[in-house]
Amino acid sequence: MVSSPHEAMHRIFQEYPDLFSRVSEVLGVDIPPPTLATALPTDLTEARPVERRVDTLLRIETEHDGHFLLAIEAQGKNDPRKTASWPYYVSYLHNRYGLPILLLVVCQDHTTAEWAARPISIGVRQWQTLALNPLVAGPHNMPVITDVAEARKDLALATLAAITHADNPDVGAILKTLSAALRDTPEAIADPLVELTAQGLGNRPAAQQWRNLVAVDLSFYKSFMSEEIRDEGRAKGLAESLLLVLEARGIAVTDEIREKITNCDDLQLLRQWLHHAATVATAEGVFTEE
């Protein structure tokens, strides 16, 4: 099953195709900025049973250096099968479109990034028939952006950098910087970046940090993710209030009841329990008339 971080690491280039020119600069490769980028079909399957699909494929046009194809692969772990599929992608695309090809691999951990950057050689010991050198973006070379002004200069790059540093011990500072940079950004620009960041963090502990930041710093956004985050924040607040009322009234709360209250995300039900908490004689009484 494709993970949320996997989707975010390549989908951000679909949303912001010109991001690659800044990423290539970070990676030390001189790629001219695009004048136009066109998303192409990602299905590389031929008329045979094996299906091959690249994550994101963009046709990049530049002002002076012509066109090229940018194939983007989001990689979450070492996968020996890629030593066969990546050369296939490049050969197939070159044959189909007749354009130069760049393969960019985006990773979130150093081990995978180091593995992905290894040249793939096809041939015999005495002669290399085909060599593939992926360009890799990951925590080893993407910037750690903790300055709000720097993040504001390029919000898409700041978002990708935050995603690639999802496991960084300082990810809290990175995410706080990004949320602060998005705070005064028009909603139409900020919302997709809020969503991509949440998706890119997956189920890591940093994901909850991001949700908390969005709930506080970006509370005016109306995106689905933001609404969901705010609902979670309201549910957490109601649960804490309910437990405080019971504690103030000297009513004992078992671990089982505490868990039931804190795990509830139904706002209407929590409000009902909170109302009951003011009059019940036991903690179990808050659940009456559920």
Side-chain angles (χ1 to χ4, degrees), residues 23-265:
V23 171
S24 65
E25 183 179 349
V26 171
L27 302 183
V29 181
D30 185 19
I31 303 295
T35 55
L36 180 66
T38 306
L40 300 175
T42 60
D43 191 348
L44 311 184
T45 308
E46 294 187 88
R48 57 182 183 178
V50 179
E51 178 181 324
R52 300 184 188 274
R53 191 179 298 272
V54 68
D55 287 332
T56 285
L57 180 62
L58 300 174
R59 177 190 173 107
I60 303 293
E61 300 182 18
T62 65
E63 186 173 359
H64 302 295
D65 288 13
H67 305 170
F68 67 92
L69 295 183
L70 175 62
I72 303 162
E73 284 280 278
Q75 198 64 33
K77 61 181 180 179
N78 297 13
D79 186 351
R81 294 173 299 177
K82 296 298 183 179
T83 58
S85 58
W86 286 346
Y88 173 86
Y89 294 167
V90 171
S91 298
Y92 176 89
L93 291 169
H94 184 266
N95 182 64
R96 178 174 177 179
Y97 292 99
L99 291 173
I101 315 291
L102 266 177
L103 172 64
L104 173 67
V105 183
V106 186
C107 308
Q108 289 179 296
D109 68 88
H110 291 272
T111 301
T112 304
E114 182 180 352
W115 165 81
R118 295 173 186 168
I120 298 173
S121 176
I122 297 177
V124 295
R125 180 176 59 82
Q126 296 86 351
W127 189 261
Q128 180 177 260
T129 303
L130 176 67
L132 177 66
N133 295 285
L135 192 60
V136 178
H140 64 299
N141 55 12
M142 291 299 289
V144 175
I145 301 177
T146 54
D147 179 78
V148 175
E150 183 183 356
R152 283 180 178 146
K153 289 178 183 177
D154 195 330
L155 292 170
L157 180 62
T159 299
L160 179 65
I163 291 171
T164 56
H165 287 290
D167 294 319
N168 190 305
D170 296 324
V171 69
I174 296 170
L175 295 177
K176 187 161 184 62
T177 299
L178 180 58
S179 69
L182 291 171
R183 188 180 301 144
D184 300 321
T185 303
E187 189 174 327
I189 297 174
D191 273 356
L193 297 172
V194 170
E195 306 286 343
L196 282 165
T197 304
Q199 189 177 28
L201 296 174
N203 58 3
R204 292 173 169 83
Q208 187 58 51
Q209 292 180 283
W210 179 243
R211 299 172 89 83
N212 293 340
L213 285 166
V214 171
V216 175
D217 291 349
L218 309 176
S219 59
F220 55 90
Y221 289 124
K222 301 296 191 295
S223 71
F224 176 81
M225 175 60 72
S226 300
E227 290 292 341
E228 181 185 337
I229 291 170
R230 285 201 296 278
D231 282 348
E232 288 185 3
R234 295 187 189 106
K236 183 178 180 181
L238 286 170
E240 290 175 352
S241 297
L242 198 163
L243 292 170
L244 283 173
V245 169
L246 293 174
E247 179 183 347
R249 296 188 60 224
I251 296 175
V253 179
T254 65
D255 290 341
E256 183 181 356
I257 291 176
R258 184 179 299 274
E259 184 177 356
K260 181 174 181 179
I261 291 172
T262 55
N263 288 342
C264 180
D265 58 6

Side-chain angles (χ1 to χ4, degrees), residues 245-246 249 251 272-282 285-286 288:
V245 169
L246 293 174
R249 296 188 60 224
I251 296 175
Q272 179 181 322
W273 292 350
L274 181 57
H275 178 74
H276 292 165
T279 57
V280 295
T282 65
V286 300
T288 58

